[in-house]
Amino acid sequence: MNVLEQTEQQLKQEIAQAVLTAGLASKEELPEVILEKPKDKSHGDFATNIAMQLARIAKKAPRQIADDIVKEINQEEASIEKIEIAGPGFINFFMKNDFLQQIIPTVLEQGENYGRSNAGNGERVQVEFVSVNPTGDLHLGHARGAAYGDVLCNVFDAAGYNVEREYYINDAGSQIDNLGLSVEARYLQELGQDVEMPEDGYHGQVIIDMAKAIIEEDGDKWLEKSHQERLEYMKEYGLKASLKNIERDLKDFQVEFDNWFSERSLYEDNQIQDAIKKLEEGDYVYEKDGATWFKSTAFGEDDKDRVIIKQDGSYTYLTPDIAYHKNKLDRGFDKIINVWGSDHHGYVARMKAAIQALGYSADKFDVKIIQMVNLFEGGEKVRMSKRTGKAVSLRELMDEVGIDATRYFFVSRSNDSQLDFDMDLARSQSNENPVYYVQYAHARICTMLEQAKNKGFDVDAEFNPEILTAEKEQDLLKKLGEFPQTIADAAEKHAPQRLTNYVFELASLLHSFYNAEKVLDADAQERTTARIALMKAVRITIANALNLIGVTAPEKM
RNA sequence: GUCCCGGUAGCUCAGCUGGAUAGAGCAACAGACUUCUAAUCUGUAGGUCGCAGGUUCGAAUCCUGCUCGGGACGCCA
């Protein structure tokens, strides 16, 4: 438990006790004491609305209740400087500063671990994300999902969850046949033959590159082989090459997985049949029109039942996916989270039904939908299409915009809000991008610390935190103290954008402090020593936050 | 037609468990570099939180209806 939490807990208990002592409510009636951090500093360090909540129970005016509570609070015990009753009945607490004084030592001691907590209690969470079909390369929209999923995992890890990252490789469906046909067509085209691309073919440049690579390796030897043999080779080649591309692009984007799960492996050990059997046992399967159906409507959310075995005997996309989710759940995770593109949201209800049909609770399963990214270039919306291969690739984004800026930008937006991506703006790398603002704060501190050494200050000296009483110093201290809770909240709400908001605010306080106060001052040794310690703590916290976002923390800019 | 997501400042977006006067960046305007980095800071201006009801001490936040934008509604993946 961190300093801030301890203070909060103590205060909550004190308030609850005061309510009981004042006879305003019985133990059973007592609502949970809610403490908030007021936006306005004149409202104190903490505020509670307990008096308003008790109005109905105690049948008294909120302000009167507040008054009764305040009388019973032991200010000394809870390190309270001052209590005020305000507005309709808020109780504002102004804390003694001593609770802030422990923050710097805590940060310095914990170093790169500062911010980590055990909020998740080691709960086992698995996040499956990206999982792009291996039929080409990664595009803009996938980049958003990749950034979101990765930072979500980082946040889970830091908040004390036991997290595992997984990529589901769709290497068994008809899209792989299409890939083979596409590579084959490009191969033949490259060798001068007049062939058309298949109707559902993949038109991206990567496919052409694959064809060229095959020619480089094997020349025209596949011309002589049977169509079947050639196609088989093209398929496997395309699959391997795509996966290699995807894995490399993701790695360069700072995204790595613990597991790459192959759809084919489900076929190899009868897992699909097992899953279907499981559904049959629960009587969720029936035959109709020559096909086999899953009764997904039995769970209230899906609007129609779903075919799992087609008339021709083959599976639909859903069938191996049910087996896959069974596999995941059988692995014993407390929670499995899927990060999907918005075009798959209609799929959620049937999957949730499947999970229940398999005998698992629906709340073990969660889907985070990543809304669309609209690309703008030259002031115009660019239509994205995988088919025509015209979308901006992750590779281009990394080359032209940079990894840091791309990741920061995507993570700072809520996943369920659509997002406009202005290519020209991103390319310009101007100060319009907040990532530079945050990185600059980090670099600034590094320069200061460097200067401190050069000027002969002892940067590791004992310091007295009590003298950090300037307003901007106190603001920084409070913000530093919030970091562990911010991470825990981001994990619990699956909202990594809390992190970018936080680090931006921290950077802003740092810049403001920097402009208002001088850190290195030979005429004020004690203050300088304390401020150096403060700067070190801020630097560590910014670096830790950026690290979780997957963005570098430069020492110079 | 049904379902999902969104509508907050000129633009792009935050907004926690329902709290006090709704925030930030960019753009605009006015200032601050002989100083630890001006990729910064300070200030000004900018709002019917899509609309209408409801719940309550209190709603951008919860509920209902409507509206606009996007997406999904396959024995495709």
Side-chain angles (χ1 to χ4, degrees):
Chain A
M1 191 181 294
N2 61 71
V3 181
L4 208 66
E5 272 180 88
Q6 256 171 31
T7 312
E8 273 190 58
Q9 282 307 321
Q10 206 176 1
L11 186 56
K12 279 184 187 177
Q13 276 172 25
E14 193 65 36
I15 294 165
Q17 190 54 49
V19 171
L20 297 177
T21 314
L24 292 163
S26 69
K27 207 164 186 178
E28 292 73 37
E29 293 169 324
L30 185 70
E32 193 201 345
V33 178
I34 294 167
L35 277 186
E36 59 175 74
K37 295 173 203 91
K39 285 169 232 159
D40 189 335
K41 269 179 270 180
S42 69
H43 296 146
D45 298 303
F46 298 105
T48 181
N49 60 353
I50 191 82
M52 277 104 92
Q53 290 194 312
L54 285 171
R56 218 172 336 168
I57 297 165
K59 298 198 173 63
K60 278 192 192 181
R63 287 193 69 109
Q64 179 59 46
I65 294 171
D67 208 42
D68 293 347
I69 294 171
V70 170
K71 269 183 212 152
E72 297 298 335
I73 287 180
N74 183 337
Q75 302 204 13
E76 209 46 49
E77 192 83 3
S79 299
I80 299 165
E81 171 77 30
K82 183 173 67 163
I83 303 178
E84 282 178 1
I85 298 168
F90 288 102
I91 307 177
N92 297 331
F93 299 90
F94 296 78
M95 308 303 288
K96 287 183 182 162
N97 288 328
D98 55 359
F99 86 105
L100 289 175
Q101 287 167 14
Q102 305 158 52
I103 288 172
I104 297 176
T106 305
V107 178
L108 296 184
E109 190 200 325
Q110 297 185 4
E112 61 185 23
N113 288 318
Y114 180 63
R116 298 185 67 90
S117 68
N118 193 29
N121 283 318
E123 190 179 302
R124 284 190 67 200
V125 181
Q126 192 230 39
V127 182
E128 182 225 314
F129 61 113
V130 188
S131 298
V132 180
N133 284 347
T135 53
D137 57 3
L138 293 152
H139 296 166
L140 190 64
H142 307 135
R144 186 179 185 188
Y148 174 86
D150 185 53
V151 178
L152 180 62
C153 288
N154 289 344
V155 158
F156 271 133
D157 178 61
Y161 296 77
N162 189 345
V163 66
E164 198 173 302
R165 300 147 201 256
E166 186 154 303
Y167 189 114
Y168 179 54
I169 309 167
N170 292 110
D171 52 5
S174 61
Q175 77 282 356
I176 296 297
D177 297 331
N178 269 326
L179 172 67
L181 289 168
S182 302
V183 176
E184 182 191 37
R186 290 301 191 199
Y187 177 77
L188 297 175
Q189 284 174 357
E190 287 296 316
L191 290 173
Q193 296 199 11
D194 185 23
V195 283
E196 295 269 311
M197 281 294 279
E199 198 175 327
D200 294 322
Y202 300 102
H203 293 71
Q205 177 64 37
V206 276
I207 307 294
I208 298 172
D209 294 342
M210 287 175 201
K212 284 180 177 165
I214 293 172
I215 292 170
E216 206 160 294
E217 288 167 28
D218 298 341
D220 61 1
K221 90 170 198 194
W222 294 101
L223 286 180
E224 300 145 28
K225 308 279 181 179
S226 73
H227 176 70
Q228 204 49 43
E229 203 177 340
R230 182 168 66 221
L231 190 58
E232 193 55 35
Y233 181 78
M234 299 289 157
K235 212 162 106 173
E236 293 310 310
Y237 189 96
L239 175 60
K240 268 195 205 116
S242 291
L243 274 174
K244 217 167 129 192
N245 277 341
I246 289 167
E247 190 167 3
R248 191 199 55 217
D249 285 356
L250 286 171
K251 196 170 179 183
D252 289 346
F253 196 50
Q254 304 293 315
V255 177
E256 293 192 53
F257 290 87
D258 300 306
N259 261 324
W260 292 76
F261 190 100
S262 159
E263 180 183 354
R264 283 182 186 175
S265 69
L266 295 166
Y267 288 81
E268 282 156 16
D269 356 310
N270 275 346
Q271 294 189 58
I272 300 174
Q273 287 92 322
D274 290 350
I276 294 172
K277 202 183 291 170
K278 186 88 188 164
L279 299 182
E280 282 168 347
E281 282 166 18
D283 204 16
Y284 295 116
V285 177
Y286 63 91
E287 305 283 327
K288 195 182 85 178
D289 303 335
T292 305
W293 297 69
F294 165 51
K295 214 185 285 176
S296 59
T297 51
F299 300 92
E301 277 191 52
D302 207 0
D303 57 345
K304 55 187 86 155
D305 290 341
R306 306 292 168 176
V307 170
I308 50 175
I309 303 176
K310 301 184 224 171
Q311 277 181 347
D312 67 4
S314 64
Y315 298 132
T316 60
Y317 179 80
L318 177 64
T319 320
D321 212 16
I322 291 174
Y324 173 48
H325 280 80
K326 179 175 184 298
N327 179 298
K328 287 205 267 192
L329 288 159
D330 287 348
R331 279 184 260 165
F333 296 107
D334 296 309
K335 189 140 202 173
I336 57 174
I337 295 176
N338 291 351
V339 178
W340 288 350
S342 63
D343 53 339
H344 286 76
H345 89 261
Y347 199 78
V348 176
R350 73 193 73 163
M351 201 65 237
K352 208 182 257 183
I355 286 189
Q356 291 168 88
L358 289 168
Y360 287 99
S361 157
D363 26 275
K364 275 188 179 263
F365 172 74
D366 202 355
V367 180
K368 309 310 291 183
I369 295 296
I370 304 292
Q371 290 296 330
M372 275 187 43
V373 177
N374 297 311
L375 180 66
F376 286 81
E377 194 158 20
E380 276 181 39
K381 187 165 170 175
V382 182
R383 186 78 197 155
M384 269 184 290
S385 156
K386 202 167 189 180
R387 291 270 294 283
T388 58
K390 268 188 184 158
V392 171
S393 70
L394 172 59
R395 179 58 53 189
E396 284 173 83
L397 270 184
M398 290 193 280
D399 289 346
E400 296 186 27
V401 179
I403 297 165
D404 287 348
T406 305
R407 287 186 64 113
Y408 190 96
F409 185 75
F410 281 138
V411 171
S412 60
R413 263 65 164 173
S414 155
N415 63 289
D416 47 26
S417 184
Q418 285 183 33
L419 180 157
D420 290 347
F421 194 94
D422 186 332
M423 207 48 202
D424 304 310
L425 195 68
R427 261 198 214 104
S428 74
Q429 304 212 354
S430 68
N431 59 348
E432 290 174 26
N433 196 323
V435 71
Y436 301 116
Y437 180 88
V438 176
Q439 288 181 317
Y440 185 54
H442 183 270
R444 243 184 176 171
I445 297 175
C446 290
T447 308
M448 265 189 278
L449 296 176
E450 190 62 33
Q451 285 285 329
K453 280 181 202 157
N454 293 343
K455 289 182 179 175
F457 291 102
D458 181 359
V459 295
D460 296 315
E462 287 288 316
F463 63 97
N464 175 13
E466 283 178 41
I467 63 168
L468 296 173
T469 53
E471 190 185 10
K472 290 182 191 299
E473 290 165 341
Q474 299 266 307
D475 291 346
L476 276 169
L477 289 173
K478 280 178 205 164
K479 203 73 196 171
L480 291 178
E482 290 171 18
F483 189 46
Q485 192 58 50
T486 299
I487 294 175
D489 286 348
E492 195 193 328
K493 310 275 185 215
H494 307 161
Q497 74 272 15
R498 298 272 169 91
L499 212 52
T500 51
N501 287 344
Y502 172 83
V503 76
F504 187 88
E505 286 162 12
L506 179 57
S508 178
L509 291 175
L510 183 275
H511 286 309
S512 178
F513 165 78
Y514 180 92
N515 276 276
E517 312 281 355
K518 195 164 167 67
V519 173
L520 306 175
D521 183 356
D523 297 329
Q525 286 286 347
E526 195 194 13
R527 196 179 65 196
T528 297
T529 322
R531 283 187 172 169
I532 287 174
L534 173 62
M535 289 301 100
K536 282 162 71 180
V538 174
R539 190 205 68 74
I540 287 168
T541 307
I542 291 178
N544 290 357
L546 288 178
N547 189 37
L548 288 174
I549 299 165
V551 167
T552 58
E555 298 189 3
K556 281 197 165 51
M557 282 176 81

